[in-house]
Amino acid sequence: MSDSLLPYAVGAAKRARRAAVRMRRRVEQLHTVPAIGGGIRPSAQLKPVHFSVSNGRTLNFAVAVPGRRVASAELVLSHGTSRERVPLELEPQADGTALLTATVPLRHKDRPEPVVRGPVLGSGIWRLAVLITDLDGQTRRTTVAAATGRDLSDGPTLPFSPSPTSGATFRIVRSVDGFALLKVRAPRPHAELTSFDLRWDRVTVHGRLIGSAQTSGTAEAVLRRGNHKAVTVTPEWDGDRFTFDVPLDKMGAGRGAARTWDLYLRLGGTRLKIARRLTDVRHPRLVYRTPFRIVALDNGSLMRVHAHVTAAGALAVNCADVIAAHPSTEEVA
C-alpha cells in the first residue's frame, strides 16, 4: 500500500471499530430491561455455561458449580408471588465440578397445553435463582448472572422467536445490574400462515388463528394499490384452523396488467394480515421462495399467478391475465 493511501485505510479501520462498538452497545440495550434482577441485597452469582430458549419454547440451562457436596439442585423462576421450579440434573465433571442442567418446554398460562409438562409462566419479567442442597441438607440460593458476548452477526435466524404452538414469546434478557431474566409476552392475535398449495387450477391457503378465541371469520384479498378493492371468500374452519381457495377469478386486471393483492382474515371489525410469524427465519422472502404458475380457471381464462411471502412474512398474490375469460353464450348471441 502506498503512503498516500495509508491514512485512508487507518481512518476506515477506526470508523469500523467505532461502528462495531456502537452496534454492540445497541444490542445490549435491546436485550436490557429496566429491572433489578438480584434484589436489594447482593448475593453470589453463577455464570451460566449455556442459557437459551430454542424453537421458541424450550428452555436450555446449564451452570457449573463445585460438585463434591451437591446432593440436588433446582432452578427457580419467580414473578411477584408466582414461583415455578425446574429440577436440575447433576452431571459430575472430570475437574471435580458438577454441571447442573435442565431442558424443559415453557408454557404460557393463557394456553397451558395440558399434554406438555413444564413450567407455566404468565406475562412479565421472571427472575432466576438456583437452589443448591448439599449432603448435609443445607440449601443455599444463588442468582444467575447474564451471559455476555452475544452473537451480533446477521445470520439466517433471529436470536428469539415465538412459540410455534401457543404464539407466546419467551425471551432471555438482562437486568440493568447484570442478572439474567426471562421476559414472557402473551400471544398477540394474528392469522398464522401454515402453508399454501400451488396447483394448476387454484391456490389454496392453510392457516391457524393465534391468540383469539374466535373460530369463524372471512378471508379477504385486498388490492395493494389503487382503490384498495377487496374480494371476500368464506374459509372452511376446523377449530382454530382455516382453509380457503384464493378467489383468482375475481382478481384479474385484464391482459398485460398485473395486480398485487394482500390476504387478510376478518373477524368482525378486526382484520388480521395472514403472515408467517411463528418462525425464527430472519429473511422470509429469501427462504420461502415460490415459482410463478399459469393457472387455468373455471371461467376459461388463464392467469399468471405468483403467491409469495413478503419480506415481512405476509402472504401476497401477484396475478395477471394471460388469456381472458371466454364470453358466455348469451353475450355471443
Side-chain angles (χ1 to χ4, degrees):
M1 180 181 297
S2 63
D3 294 340
S4 61
L5 296 179
L6 183 59
Y8 296 98
V10 173
K14 290 182 179 179
R15 290 191 295 272
R17 285 195 297 269
R18 288 196 294 267
V21 171
R22 288 195 299 268
M23 178 61 70
R24 183 173 65 253
R25 290 176 179 174
R26 177 58 178 164
V27 171
E28 290 178 353
Q29 292 174 356
L30 291 175
H31 292 281
T32 302
V33 295
I36 304 299
I40 298 177
R41 292 180 298 178
S43 57
Q45 295 187 42
L46 293 175
K47 183 173 293 186
V49 177
H50 181 80
F51 184 28
S52 66
V53 177
S54 58
N55 300 323
R57 64 169 183 168
T58 303
L59 177 67
N60 307 288
F61 181 80
V63 64
V65 297
R68 294 182 178 178
R69 296 186 56 80
V70 176
S72 62
E74 59 183 1
L75 177 66
V76 180
L77 298 94
S78 60
H79 173 67
T81 58
S82 301
R83 298 290 186 274
E84 290 290 333
R85 299 174 181 268
V86 178
L88 296 174
E89 295 185 7
L90 181 63
E91 301 179 9
Q93 304 296 302
D95 59 357
T97 62
L99 195 64
L100 306 178
T101 65
T103 301
V104 294
L106 300 174
R107 300 179 294 166
H108 196 275
K109 69 175 184 179
D110 292 343
R111 295 177 64 93
E113 304 174 65
V115 296
V116 179
R117 293 186 177 182
V120 180
L121 309 179
S123 299
I125 303 295
W126 289 77
R127 294 173 170 82
L128 282 72
V130 175
L131 295 182
I132 300 176
T133 303
D134 58 22
L135 298 177
D136 297 331
Q138 297 182 353
T139 301
R140 68 180 188 274
R141 176 183 181 274
T142 58
T143 55
V144 180
T148 57
R150 287 183 177 272
D151 184 11
L152 306 181
S153 63
D154 185 17
T157 58
L158 298 169
F160 66 94
S161 63
S163 169
T165 54
S166 67
T169 301
F170 304 95
R171 181 182 176 187
I172 297 174
V173 295
R174 66 188 302 273
S175 65
V176 293
D177 53 350
F179 290 86
L181 304 172
L182 189 65
K183 184 177 182 180
V184 182
R185 190 184 68 188
R188 295 179 177 179
H190 80 275
E192 175 68 11
L193 172 67
T194 57
S195 65
F196 58 91
D197 302 328
L198 300 177
R199 302 178 182 178
W200 297 110
D201 61 344
R202 72 191 67 182
V203 176
T204 304
V205 177
H206 307 274
R208 184 163 65 100
L209 188 59
I210 302 296
S212 176
Q214 291 187 248
T215 56
S216 63
T218 59
E220 291 184 355
V222 180
L223 188 61
R224 182 173 294 180
R225 294 183 178 86
N227 58 3
H228 298 283
K229 173 185 176 182
V231 179
T232 303
V233 62
T234 301
E236 296 181 2
W237 288 87
D238 182 10
D240 59 353
R241 297 182 178 272
F242 58 89
T243 303
F244 65 91
D245 292 335
V246 179
L248 297 174
D249 56 339
K250 303 177 183 178
M251 297 165 59
R255 185 172 181 179
R259 288 180 172 181
T260 300
W261 301 74
D262 296 308
L263 299 186
Y264 294 85
L265 190 68
R266 179 174 288 278
L267 306 174
T270 303
R271 192 169 69 178
L272 304 175
K273 181 170 288 189
I274 300 176
R276 181 160 289 178
R277 305 190 188 280
L278 304 186
T279 177
D280 60 353
V281 174
R282 188 183 295 272
H283 305 291
R285 186 175 183 179
L286 301 179
V287 174
Y288 305 117
R289 302 175 68 90
T290 54
F292 286 81
R293 179 66 55 87
I294 300 297
V295 176
L297 303 180
D298 292 339
N299 58 11
S301 65
L302 292 180
M303 179 178 288
R304 187 189 67 174
V305 176
H306 184 212
H308 60 280
V309 176
T310 67
L315 178 61
V317 178
N318 181 278
C319 51
D321 288 324
V322 177
I323 298 178
H326 297 310
S328 63
T329 304
E330 297 180 355
E331 293 177 345
V332 173

